Amino acid sequence: MAKIFIDGDSGTTGLEIREKLADAKNLELVSIAPELRKEVSAKRDILARVDVAILCLPDAAAKETVALADELGEAGPRILDASTAHRVAPGWTYGFPELAPGQAEAIRKARRVANPGCYATGAIALLRPLVDAGLIAAQDALTINAVSGYSGGGKQMIEAYEKGEAPAFDLYGLTLEHKHLPEIAAYSGLAAPPLFAPSVGNFRQGMLVSIPLRLDALSARPRAVDLEAALARHYAGATYVRVMPAPKSGRLDPLALNGTNDLEIFVFAREESRHALLVARLDNLGKGASGAAVQNLALMLGDAI
Ligand SMILES: NC(=O)C1=CN([C@@H]2O[C@H](COP(=O)(O)OP(=O)(O)OC[C@H]3O[C@@H](n4cnc5c(N)ncnc54)[C@H](OP(=O)(O)O)[C@@H]3O)[C@@H](O)[C@H]2O)C=CC1
Ligand SMILES: CC(=O)N[C@@H](CCC(=O)OP(=O)(O)O)C(=O)O
């Protein structure tokens, strides 16, 4: 029976993971009394007793918990961190099992796994197979656009939207240095970070990440059908990631995968103008957060849950 501690289990991501694991077999959720949840000594005690700690905390608090676990050495728990703190840190394995051959196996064995960011999940899912296939070159200059449900902003943003105090649509990250850019740069295969323009809409959850491509501006000058075929080949054996036919309506609903751990990929194309648009659709709280965390935990526990 694996013992699991969710640090931050009353936050948006932590609550969802707790709910998803409530009926899981072969594991016991160990929790801290709510009034002690930020007490270092209580945390140290619980870390010494569990097999895996899942961190659903702000970055600074996640680093503190990792430091406590490190003090315990080999007797300490394995860690799955949902925060941004360790996604490109040395010694950590990036928790996107579909990234490349061998990644799921690396997560199975890792003592430290960083769960990817929601936008990064969509962007890397679109880019990495195309870079690996030589259809997008590392030095090609790309732009990523995205829209997220407001739950991506955690408790504070949820409250602002639900009180009616937030805009219906918000283009943000306009300093052009969003916190997901380092992991996108590290794992997409691109030589430099792309330009990233995220936005948030007045819906709780759901996400679209899109990458417009002028095919003749890419070094390999690929055809859109080749992009689609390479993506389909890469994800042929994947359980949660699928390449879908582009809908004839020419529209996509960002909410369609809510409540799932699925990610769908679409390649919209107009060969006459040599234009293509890659789109990833996911639930920002699913494959973008808690769904991915449960998928990674299952790998870490040898598919025992
Ligand atoms: N929302 C999302 O879509 C995603 C979020 N993430 C990441 O997950 C992490 C959590 O985000 P999210 O769930 O949205 O955030 P929330 O703000 O909803 O929740 C954070 C939780 O952490 C608790 N907390 C803060 N400091 C400590 C501490 N020292 N010890 C124990 N608990 C603490 C907070 O409690 P209190 O409120 O009482 O301070 C709160 O319950 C972040 O790092 C975020 O980047 C990852 C993927 C997606
Ligand atoms: C709408 C919104 O604010 N989204 C968050 C990202 C949420 C997410 O998944 O990212 P982390 O896992 O890195 O927290 C943001 O842009 O900062």
Side-chain angles (χ1 to χ4, degrees):
M1 197 70 135
K3 290 191 171 62
I4 312 295
F5 166 49
I6 305 173
D7 199 357
D9 68 355
S10 56
T12 315
T13 309
L15 256 180
E16 286 229 345
I17 295 174
R18 194 168 72 182
E19 281 165 14
K20 285 189 163 82
L21 294 179
D23 299 324
K25 54 182 176 5
N26 299 328
L27 64 79
E28 182 190 341
L29 286 180
V30 182
S31 45
I32 225 163
E35 65 280 11
L36 297 178
R37 71 189 194 292
K38 295 185 184 177
E39 292 283 327
V40 169
S41 60
K43 232 180 246 197
R44 192 181 284 120
D45 289 349
I46 210 163
L47 289 170
R49 290 196 287 123
V50 298
D51 300 291
V52 181
I54 306 178
L55 314 187
C56 303
L57 303 167
D59 287 13
K63 285 180 185 161
E64 280 168 25
T65 296
V66 171
L68 290 176
D70 283 345
E71 283 171 17
L72 294 165
E74 284 296 309
R78 295 167 80 191
I79 293 186
L80 173 56
D81 182 7
S83 84
T84 319
H86 300 103
R87 292 179 186 153
V88 294
W92 287 74
T93 300
Y94 195 58
F96 186 49
E98 299 85 357
L99 182 71
Q103 192 67 16
E105 202 45 39
I107 294 167
R108 268 183 211 285
K109 295 182 186 145
R111 284 190 57 77
R112 300 284 182 263
V113 177
N115 217 48
C118 48
Y119 294 120
T121 298
I124 293 165
L126 294 171
L127 291 172
R128 178 62 178 264
L130 299 177
V131 175
D132 285 349
L135 297 170
I136 290 179
Q139 64 274 16
D140 283 337
L142 300 181
T143 295
I144 302 172
N145 302 307
V147 63
S148 171
Y150 57 74
S151 57
K155 278 181 167 177
Q156 281 181 357
M157 190 179 284
I158 294 171
E159 197 179 306
Y161 269 94
E162 294 185 348
K163 280 187 176 162
E165 291 170 358
F169 180 86
D170 196 14
L171 193 62
Y172 72 105
L174 296 173
T175 55
L176 307 184
E177 51 191 358
H178 190 271
K179 65 178 181 174
H180 291 178
L181 280 168
E183 60 190 288
I184 293 174
Y187 302 108
S188 64
L190 296 178
L195 187 75
F196 178 40
S199 62
V200 58
N202 190 5
F203 51 96
R204 191 173 199 281
Q205 64 198 86
M207 171 167 283
L208 295 174
V209 178
S210 54
I211 304 184
L213 297 175
R214 290 175 50 222
L215 298 168
D216 287 333
L218 299 175
S219 314
R221 305 186 70 199
R223 295 178 306 163
V225 287
D226 299 327
L227 301 176
E228 189 169 355
L231 288 161
R233 262 196 314 279
H234 181 83
Y235 293 111
T239 306
Y240 299 111
V241 183
R242 289 184 296 276
V243 178
M244 304 295 289
K248 296 261 184 306
S249 64
R251 312 179 84 92
L252 281 181
D253 173 3
L255 283 59
L257 295 179
N258 286 357
T260 75
N261 186 42
D262 295 336
L263 185 150
E264 290 178 341
I265 288 176
F266 301 84
V267 179
F268 295 90
R270 187 162 184 276
E271 267 301 338
E272 305 90 288
S273 51
R274 300 280 292 139
H275 288 165
L277 183 72
L278 311 175
V279 186
R281 168 159 70 183
L282 63 153
D283 177 356
N284 60 295
L285 294 183
K287 185 63 169 157
S290 65
V294 171
Q295 185 184 354
N296 284 322
L297 181 69
L299 285 169
M300 292 170 80
L301 299 179
D303 296 320
I305 58 173

